[in-house]
């Protein structure tokens, strides 16, 4: 245990002291801050340039239909400020509309014809016209029926809203949280970047220790299992340090500038999903990092390491692509099946959980399979690493590696 | 203290890397493990270190099974490397702590070793800033950081200049006098001959020669004769029992079938009144024995 902790501490200190680590962290911090500040500045400028979101309703003292500002506000969903005025100010308001100081002018004169003039660039205002027209139509009918002498209760029953009930068919009823897309994508990308960046770091670290032959001194000083896992955990902590720094900088900047509108972290990351994210993140990392460490232990020179790890890198990129497709089709059958495949689970299962409602049993089974696979991969990788780090010259064949594993049983 | 390798065999698939190897290395008497490349030296060392399991036989320390938990081992590998970006003191401390020392004890031991190896002024430098020779000294310090009971030195002299090689010899002698068990693997026979008492020569995993260096040489007999004379006597020396004659700067080197031939040669020179300034019957060198046993390829 002591040697395991010593390797973790040394790996961490070694990596964080590197100039490349400091520069990359600084660059990423600048990117994160810029990524939050720039959209926010652009949004503010756009808001400043936008015409005033105000609609004026003009009518005489005797309006043909009753104008209730509260109802109007409901129709416009609060997107526009509704005010009223008299027909006398019509030309003045139309000029204001023309100058972009108003979004729309509704003129209620006569009995059935109500012009609704909008400022063209404020396209949003036209979107409310059908609802507005329906309201005017209803009011107009109420007025007409009142004049015809019908009682209020008859009018209410004749024009009262119909109630409806939505019944969903189970197979297609699984909700699709389209608003979660950006956030889930960002978290998927975080898993991808973390596993790839720090998995590669593990790989390079093992290969450079082996090629520089410092490995010989190491394996004579400490057993290979704590050595390998110490490196994995140490490198993971380096990555987490970088991520925590980036998150802290992102959060602080977000608080200061008001944030990116489509990024709803708090809305998605309920405690349960946050725990699942951390679990998938860590298991995904350890699963691939152990594979990378084993692959790197088989080569004698740093230049050979990419070729040795190529199958695992390809698998991981495929799992990320599958995760991206899952964001679009979280309820697809293939996505459900892939979320049970341990090498795909970290990205695919998280995409499903972020974008749709996944039955709890599926999450439990998928995570259990991933956990078991990570443990098995760790044991196999440790055995390959134990023999691999002592093996120089031509890269051992798959059959040789299987032979080592058989021997270690 | 003693290290006993008893009938040890190691196979990799169908290939037998080490076959029925036995030897004992005792404290204070450096032991030489010799052989050409692929002879099984590194496999033997890795079995002693516990990195490879032994297929047959036993490796014991003072009669009990050797484990790294029980015995402090220092290993200087043939292929050397350090962390280039770390400082000298930092990595020596790291290796010390990995071998169960406290950080403070590791620093103290590192400083004392650096002092001994005349490297103390470099302790704060990164390894990449040091010369190759100085890097090798740091590796020796890393090997000795935990004051090991068993010291395994694989090709310790390779790449060292004469001054550093002399310093290494002093260090080995110092640890031998302290009663440590030292296992030497080297191609530099002169150094082995000067430092070691016992040896084993391996060839393709098989033991070719085993015993004390003195006994092995004695068993080979004195069949080399060096003659330095005032006149050219080469033609006079072509007699029965002389296998070869080589003219060198320090005299004529003769290879004899046996020691008795030397007497005949001496008689011939005396009969011809040749003034002889040197007549020396020599034992074979370890190098010659090695070349004969492993077939010349190192």
């Amino acid at each position: 245990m002591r040697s395991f902790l010593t390797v973790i501490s040394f790996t961490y200190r070694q990596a964080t002291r590197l100039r490349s680590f400091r520069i990359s962290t600084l660059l990423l911090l600048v990117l994160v801050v810029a990524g939050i500040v720039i959209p926010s500045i652009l949004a503010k400028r756009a808001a400043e340039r936008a015409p005033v979101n105000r609609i004026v309703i003009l009518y005489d003292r005797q309006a043909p239909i009753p104008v209730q500002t509260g109802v109007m506000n409901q129709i416009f969903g609060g997107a526009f400020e509704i005010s009223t005025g008299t027909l006398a100010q019509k030309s003045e308001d139309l000029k204001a509309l023309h100058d972009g100081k108003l979004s729309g002018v509704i003129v209620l004169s006569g009995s059935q014809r109500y012009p609704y003039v909008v400022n063209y660039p404020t396209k949003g205002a036209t979107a409310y016209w059908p609802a507005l027209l329906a309201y005017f139509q209803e009011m107009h009918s109420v007025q007409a029926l009142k004049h015809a002498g019908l009682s209020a209760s008859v009018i209410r029953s004749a024009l009262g809203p119909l109630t409806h009930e939505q019944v969903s068919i189970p197979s297609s009823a699984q909700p699709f949280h389209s608003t979660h897309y950006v956030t889930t994508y960002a978290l998927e990308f975080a898993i991808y970047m973390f596993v790839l960046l720090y998995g590669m770091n593990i790989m390079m670290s093992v290969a450079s220790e082996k090629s520089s032959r410092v490995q010989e001194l190491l394996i004579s000083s400490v057993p290979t299992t704590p050595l390998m896992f110490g490196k994995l955990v140490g490198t993971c902590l380096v990555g987490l340090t970088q991520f925590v720094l980036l998150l802290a900088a992102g959060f602080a900047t977000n608080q200061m500038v008001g944030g990116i509108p489509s990024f709803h972290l708090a809305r998605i990351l309920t405690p349960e999903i946050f725990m699942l994210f951390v679990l998938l993140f860590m298991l995904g990392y350890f699963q691939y990092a152990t594979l990378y460490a084993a692959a790197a232990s088989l080569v004698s020179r740093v230049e050979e390491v990419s070729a040795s790890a190529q199958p695992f890198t390809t698998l991981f990129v495929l799992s990320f692509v599958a995760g991206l497709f899952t964001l679009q089709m979280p309820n697809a059958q293939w996505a459900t099946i892939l979320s049970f495949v341990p090498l795909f689970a970290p990205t695919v299962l998280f995409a499903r959980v972020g974008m749709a409602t996944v039955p709890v049993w599926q999450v439990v089974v998928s995570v259990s399979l991933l956990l078991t696979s990570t443990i098995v991969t760790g044991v196999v990788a440790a055995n390959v690493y134990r023999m691999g780090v002592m093996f120089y010259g031509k890269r051992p064949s798959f059959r040789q590696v299987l032979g080592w594993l058989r021997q270690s049983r | 203290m003693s290290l006993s390798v008893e009938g040890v065999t190691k196979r990799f698939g169908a290939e037998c890397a080490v076959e029925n190897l036995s030897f004992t290395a005792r404290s204070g008497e450096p032991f030489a493990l010799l052989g050409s490349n692929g002879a099984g030296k590194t496999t033997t060392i890795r079995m002693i270190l516990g990195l490879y399991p032994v297929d047959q036989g036993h490796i014991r320390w003072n009669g009990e099974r050797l484990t790294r938990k029980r015995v402090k081992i220092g290993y200087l590998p043939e292929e050397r490397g350090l962390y280039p970006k770390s400082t000298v003191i930092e990595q020596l401390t790291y290796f010390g702590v990995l071998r169960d020392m406290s950080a403070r004890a590791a620093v103290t031991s590192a400083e004392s070793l650096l002092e001994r190896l005349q490297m103390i002024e470099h302790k704060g430098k990164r390894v990449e800033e040091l010369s190759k020779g100085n890097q090798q000294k740091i590796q020796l310090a890393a090997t000795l950081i935990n004051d090991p009971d068993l010291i395994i030195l694989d090709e310790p002299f390779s790449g060292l200049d004469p001054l550093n090689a002399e310093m290494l010899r002093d260090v080995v002698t110092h640890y031998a006098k302290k009663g440590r068990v030292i296992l030497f693997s080297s191609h530099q026979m002169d150094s082995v001959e000067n430092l070691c008492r016992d040896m084993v020569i391996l060839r393709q995993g098989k033991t070719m020669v085993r015993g004390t260096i003195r006994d092995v040489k004695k068993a080979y007999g004195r069949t080399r004769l060096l003659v330095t004379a005032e006149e050219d006597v080469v033609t006079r020396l072509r007699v029965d029992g002389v296998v070869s004659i080589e003219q060198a700067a320090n005299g004529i080197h003769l290879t004899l079938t046996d020691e008795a031939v030397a007497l005949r040669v001496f008689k011939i020179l005396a009969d011809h009144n040749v003034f002889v300034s040197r007549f020396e019957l020599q034992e074979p060198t370890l190098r010659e024995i090695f070349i004969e046993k492993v077939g010349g390829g190192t």
Side-chain angles (χ1 to χ4, degrees):
Chain A
M1 190 61 189
R2 189 163 174 262
S3 52
F4 173 63
L5 295 175
T6 307
V7 176
I8 293 176
S9 149
F10 187 77
T11 307
Y12 184 83
R13 274 183 290 130
Q14 281 263 98
T16 47
R17 207 183 298 155
L18 284 179
R19 196 178 295 162
S20 56
F21 172 82
R22 291 177 182 179
I23 292 173
S24 68
T25 308
L26 198 67
L27 281 176
L28 285 170
L29 281 173
V30 170
L31 267 176
V32 164
V33 171
I36 295 171
V37 169
I38 293 172
S40 166
I41 290 173
L42 290 177
K44 272 183 191 155
R45 284 211 179 150
E48 278 165 16
R49 276 200 303 269
V52 180
N53 287 346
R54 196 153 69 87
I55 289 171
V56 180
I57 306 171
L58 302 176
Y59 53 91
D60 274 339
R61 192 178 290 173
Q62 274 298 308
I65 52 171
V67 175
Q68 294 168 333
T69 318
V71 176
M72 289 295 174
N73 277 330
Q74 256 183 7
I75 289 172
F76 284 100
F80 293 91
E81 182 195 322
I82 309 296
S83 61
T84 56
T86 61
L87 290 172
Q89 64 190 66
K90 183 178 167 185
S91 56
E92 194 184 316
D93 282 350
L94 286 175
K95 188 176 179 302
L97 180 73
H98 185 76
D99 296 342
K101 290 174 185 162
L102 282 177
S103 306
V105 176
I106 301 168
V107 184
L108 301 179
S109 64
S111 56
Q112 289 186 355
R113 191 167 171 274
Y114 310 127
Y116 176 33
V117 191
V118 295
N119 183 342
Y120 185 72
T122 321
K123 286 178 187 164
T126 57
Y128 300 94
W129 182 241
L132 200 59
L133 197 63
Y135 171 70
F136 288 160
Q137 181 69 56
E138 188 190 335
M139 287 298 107
H140 187 78
S141 304
V142 168
Q143 291 289 94
L145 293 171
K146 263 187 186 166
H147 282 299
L150 289 176
S151 69
S153 61
V154 172
I155 295 169
R156 247 199 324 273
S157 120
L159 299 175
L162 294 171
T163 57
H164 71 282
E165 189 183 343
Q166 190 180 326
V167 179
S168 304
I169 299 163
S171 62
S172 60
Q174 293 170 6
F176 178 92
H177 312 310
S178 58
T179 51
H180 295 181
Y181 186 86
V182 174
T183 315
T184 313
Y185 180 91
L187 295 172
E188 281 277 312
F189 198 68
I191 295 178
Y192 175 72
M193 288 305 288
F194 192 88
V195 173
L196 208 63
L197 271 178
Y198 295 101
M200 294 275 179
N201 274 5
I202 288 278
M203 205 165 78
M204 295 310 288
S205 161
V206 170
S208 61
E209 272 179 358
K210 197 178 165 190
S211 69
S212 74
R213 310 286 176 146
V214 71
Q215 195 83 48
E216 298 270 326
L217 261 179
L218 281 171
I219 57 176
S220 68
S221 307
V222 62
T224 48
T225 306
L227 180 62
M228 187 185 93
F229 286 103
K231 291 186 81 62
L232 294 186
V233 175
T235 308
C236 180
L237 289 177
V238 173
L240 288 179
T241 303
Q242 208 168 38
F243 262 53
V244 166
L245 278 175
L246 296 179
L247 274 179
F251 185 75
T253 315
N254 203 43
Q255 291 292 98
M256 279 191 278
V257 300
I260 304 170
S262 52
F263 193 70
H264 309 292
L265 196 61
R267 203 190 293 170
I268 291 182
L269 281 187
T270 59
E272 295 81 24
I273 293 187
F274 177 71
M275 275 167 66
L276 182 69
F277 171 73
V278 172
L279 200 61
L280 292 173
F281 190 88
M282 298 317 287
L283 289 176
Y285 165 76
F286 277 104
Q287 183 173 234
Y288 278 97
T290 48
L291 290 173
Y292 278 136
S297 72
L298 299 177
V299 300
S300 304
R301 294 182 304 147
V302 176
E303 303 88 78
E304 297 168 9
V305 75
S306 303
S308 178
Q310 187 70 45
F312 306 124
T313 307
T314 309
L315 259 176
F316 184 59
V317 171
L318 279 178
S319 86
F320 176 62
V321 172
L324 294 187
F325 279 115
T326 308
L327 290 175
Q328 309 282 344
M329 292 172 272
N331 297 318
Q333 199 180 15
W334 59 261
T336 310
I337 293 168
L338 279 183
S339 62
F340 294 123
V341 180
L343 286 166
F344 285 73
T347 49
V348 176
L349 180 65
F350 187 70
R352 287 185 65 211
V353 169
M355 296 301 292
T357 305
V358 180
V360 175
W361 73 265
Q362 289 189 7
V363 176
V364 171
V365 170
S366 174
V367 170
S368 306
L369 285 173
L370 177 60
L371 183 66
T372 312
S373 156
T374 306
I375 293 168
V376 171
T377 311
V379 171
V380 170
N383 281 318
V384 173
Y385 180 86
R386 187 169 60 82
M387 293 300 284
V389 289
M390 291 187 278
F391 195 93
Y392 285 93
K394 191 170 167 268
R395 190 152 33 117
S397 64
F398 186 63
R399 184 178 285 186
Q400 259 174 305
V401 174
L402 282 182
W404 295 347
L405 293 175
R406 244 179 268 127
Q407 263 191 343
S408 66
R409 273 191 304 180
Chain B
M1 288 190 291
S2 69
L3 166 77
S4 305
V5 172
E6 300 166 4
V8 164
T9 296
K10 178 71 193 169
R11 288 188 189 84
F12 293 106
E15 187 194 334
C16 190
V18 175
E19 190 181 331
N20 196 25
L21 174 65
S22 296
F23 65 83
T24 301
R26 291 179 188 82
S27 66
E29 297 169 357
F31 185 94
L33 184 63
L34 308 176
S36 57
N37 296 329
K41 300 186 306 277
T42 303
T43 304
T44 304
I45 290 171
R46 285 179 173 176
M47 284 191 286
I48 294 169
L49 290 169
L51 298 173
Y52 286 156
V54 174
D55 290 346
Q56 274 173 35
H58 302 281
I59 296 174
R60 299 186 199 279
W61 179 259
N62 295 338
E64 288 181 47
R65 196 167 78 87
L66 183 143
T67 60
R68 274 202 270 181
K69 276 191 180 163
R70 198 177 293 159
V71 184
K72 288 192 286 177
I73 306 178
Y75 171 49
L76 179 71
E78 180 180 4
E79 300 284 357
R80 287 158 215 168
L82 292 162
Y83 291 100
K85 302 279 180 199
S86 290
T87 62
V88 167
I89 193 74
E90 190 183 27
Q91 51 194 307
L92 288 179
T93 311
Y94 177 50
F95 285 114
V97 174
L98 282 181
R99 291 183 206 159
D100 291 332
M101 296 175 86
S102 70
R104 184 175 291 179
V107 170
T108 310
S109 171
E111 284 176 346
S112 129
L113 280 163
L114 290 172
E115 198 87 58
R116 183 175 190 89
L117 296 168
Q118 297 168 12
M119 289 290 293
I120 193 71
E121 69 272 23
H122 299 297
K123 75 170 187 178
K125 282 187 183 166
R126 285 202 304 266
V127 165
E128 64 186 358
E129 296 170 44
L130 302 178
S131 69
K132 198 180 167 201
N134 282 343
Q135 288 188 18
Q136 283 188 313
K137 285 188 191 173
I138 302 304
Q139 276 177 320
L140 181 65
T143 305
L144 303 171
I145 188 80
N146 59 337
D147 193 15
D149 302 317
L150 169 61
I151 301 168
I152 303 173
L153 305 170
D154 197 354
E155 288 299 340
F157 294 102
S158 86
L160 290 184
D161 62 38
L163 282 176
N164 284 331
E166 195 50 42
M167 184 180 285
L168 176 64
R169 260 180 229 112
D170 288 347
V171 170
V172 172
T173 311
H174 169 77
Y175 277 87
K177 277 184 186 161
K178 273 176 82 177
R180 303 294 181 256
V181 176
I182 300 173
L183 192 63
F184 236 90
S185 165
S186 180
H187 292 149
Q188 295 197 13
M189 298 301 151
D190 299 345
S191 305
V192 171
E193 222 168 334
N194 291 335
L195 285 168
C196 301
R197 181 178 172 273
D198 297 281
M199 68 159 183
V200 63
I201 297 181
L202 298 176
R203 183 186 181 188
Q204 292 175 342
K206 293 188 178 68
T207 306
M208 304 306 290
V209 177
R210 193 179 67 194
T212 64
I213 293 175
R214 194 194 299 160
D215 290 347
V216 169
K217 286 169 103 177
K218 215 175 193 175
Y220 267 74
R222 292 182 292 174
T223 55
R224 293 169 68 248
L225 180 64
L226 172 64
V227 177
T228 309
E230 295 290 294
E231 56 190 88
D232 184 4
V233 290
V234 172
T235 47
R236 295 188 198 284
L237 298 177
R238 292 192 198 284
V239 293
D240 278 354
V242 175
V243 178
S244 68
I245 300 173
E246 263 179 63
Q247 187 86 51
N250 63 343
I252 305 163
H253 291 264
L254 292 91
T255 309
L256 314 176
T257 50
D258 59 78
E259 274 185 46
V261 180
L263 197 59
R264 215 180 305 154
V265 172
F266 189 78
K267 251 183 153 182
I268 291 167
L269 294 171
D271 291 349
H272 289 85
N273 291 323
V274 175
F275 187 82
V276 176
S277 57
R278 191 172 180 186
F279 188 91
E280 188 181 333
L281 198 51
Q282 297 174 324
E283 282 182 332
T285 62
L286 197 54
R287 182 185 170 78
E288 284 163 338
I289 296 172
F290 183 84
I291 289 173
E292 186 191 315
K293 287 296 173 188
V294 302
T298 59

